[in-house]
Amino acid sequence: MTEDADNIKTMKLYTNVDRIKNELASRDMFKGEIAIDPIALSEIDSMHYLGNIAIEDAVVEMKLDSSSTVLDIGSGFGGPARVLSSLSKCTTTALELQTDIHQMAEYLTKRCNLENHLKHELGDILTFNLDELGGGLSSFDGIVSFLVFLHIPDKKSLLENCAKMLKSGGTIFFEDFYCRSQFSEAEVNSLAEDVYANDLPTREEYISHLETSGFHNIQVIDKSSEWTAYVSERLEKFTANRYKFEEVHGEPTYLSLLHFYNAIVKLFTGQSLGGVRVVAEKL
């Protein structure tokens, strides 16, 4: 595991990976050879906001079909990639930095019988040999990423590599955090320690990085209000469901996620942290 893959574990959403197995077992989905529905599984294995709405929007926005190739950067447990391929029949390459999460993602994809549509790769988009990713440089019709770019301070190199992987006219579709106004010292510390996010760009800085990297037709859609409501409701439901959650996962996992969910609510309600969806086309 790389230094970044170790350090990112300060974000408690990325620890206690066995909670996925525990949740599957509690629903009688862990053992056996019966295929798992990726849409049903997405209730467990997705870490972005508002369920599959963003995935469905990506399919429409990028006009994905069975001929399309897509790169998912920071694919996590593979939930969005599986839903993407399941809905559109596209071929997806899922790139994930963390070994334990990558291994769980491969297992889940096999259980969904989606190996023919989805290939998992372990690595970092900044250091991976891009010639060996999918079909190599300029081979993808689309790139997606959901709440991952916030972990990568070097947006210039990140977006340049994204552009390198896309065909001319290809589309990037991602959701991320951004800086709406200056963060307090406490917010800077919380972002660094609880979210593993440093140097979040402003809206204007994001647009500048995209243009410099060779993107145009840039759409920047603010999601701050929606996401503030979502994370607040998530926390309320989580605390109300404590007893049932601890029966399956235990108190340490509950307390770990509670810390993370509380930190996210505090950051969003402080109104300096914002959420954004970006759609752009490679020149």
Side-chain angles (χ1 to χ4, degrees):
M1 187 179 286
T2 67
E3 183 179 351
D4 280 344
D6 283 330
N7 292 340
I8 202 171
K9 292 299 187 184
T10 62
M11 183 171 170
K12 298 184 185 301
L13 187 65
Y14 297 151
T15 59
N16 303 305
V17 171
D18 282 346
R19 73 180 186 272
I20 303 298
K21 290 182 179 179
N22 294 339
E23 192 64 37
L24 289 171
S26 74
R27 304 185 188 199
D28 295 322
M29 297 167 68
F30 183 58
K31 295 181 178 180
E33 301 301 322
I34 298 175
I36 300 175
D37 176 9
I39 306 300
L41 181 60
S42 66
E43 298 177 8
I44 301 171
D45 64 6
S46 294
M47 295 183 281
H48 62 285
Y49 296 161
L50 296 171
N52 291 328
I53 294 172
I55 318 301
E56 294 165 359
D57 289 349
V59 170
V60 174
E61 188 72 40
M62 296 193 290
K63 300 179 176 61
L64 300 181
D65 58 29
S66 60
S67 69
S68 305
T69 55
V70 178
L71 173 62
D72 183 357
I73 297 174
S75 51
F77 295 113
R82 281 187 289 275
V83 173
L84 200 70
S85 286
S86 179
L87 292 177
S88 70
K89 310 306 179 189
C90 70
T91 299
T92 304
T93 299
L95 180 65
E96 171 54 40
L97 176 70
Q98 302 172 73
T99 301
D100 52 352
I101 291 178
H102 162 76
Q103 291 171 343
M104 176 61 72
E106 286 191 311
Y107 167 77
L108 293 172
T109 292
K110 290 178 182 177
R111 288 297 309 274
C112 292
N113 291 336
L114 283 172
E115 303 100 309
N116 291 335
H117 289 284
L118 176 54
K119 181 181 181 182
H120 292 274
E121 295 281 6
L122 177 65
D124 184 337
I125 186 61
L126 296 184
T127 59
F128 203 94
N129 183 348
L130 300 183
D131 287 323
E132 297 180 0
L133 188 57
L137 298 174
S138 302
S139 66
F140 288 99
D141 298 295
I143 289 177
V144 297
S145 189
F146 301 96
L147 301 185
V148 171
F149 287 2
L150 59 100
H151 300 311
I152 306 173
D154 187 358
K155 296 295 190 293
K156 179 178 182 293
S157 296
L158 167 64
L159 293 170
E160 285 176 353
N161 279 4
C162 288
K164 289 176 184 177
M165 297 311 299
L166 282 171
K167 299 175 183 177
S168 178
T171 302
I172 186 170
F173 181 111
F174 67 88
E175 294 190 337
D176 199 32
F177 291 175
Y178 79 103
C179 176
R180 298 173 73 185
S181 58
Q182 185 172 354
F183 295 115
S184 68
E185 182 178 353
E187 288 173 325
V188 170
N189 290 335
S190 180
L191 284 165
E193 295 171 11
D194 299 321
V195 190
Y196 195 66
N198 296 286
D199 298 322
L200 290 177
T202 64
R203 180 182 184 277
E204 292 73 22
E205 287 170 338
Y206 238 139
I207 292 172
S208 177
H209 285 312
L210 285 158
E211 290 175 338
T212 302
S213 300
F215 290 96
H216 70 145
N217 293 337
I218 299 168
Q219 303 175 53
V220 180
I221 303 152
D222 193 273
K223 296 295 213 178
S224 304
S225 295
E226 288 177 72
W227 290 3
T228 300
Y230 169 81
V231 298
S232 298
E233 184 180 352
R234 176 178 67 177
L235 176 60
E236 290 177 10
K237 289 181 177 179
F238 187 68
T239 54
N241 196 42
R242 176 172 184 170
Y243 177 74
K244 184 177 179 181
F245 184 92
E246 288 187 353
E247 275 192 322
V248 175
H249 304 283
E251 183 182 44
T253 299
Y254 172 82
L255 294 176
S256 179
L257 286 175
L258 179 65
H259 175 90
F260 174 71
Y261 291 159
N262 269 316
I264 291 295
V265 168
K266 189 173 183 179
L267 285 165
F268 269 110
T269 54
Q271 298 188 354
S272 293
L273 178 65
V276 69
R277 173 183 293 178
V278 175
V279 184
E281 183 180 329
K282 178 183 174 180
L283 284 165

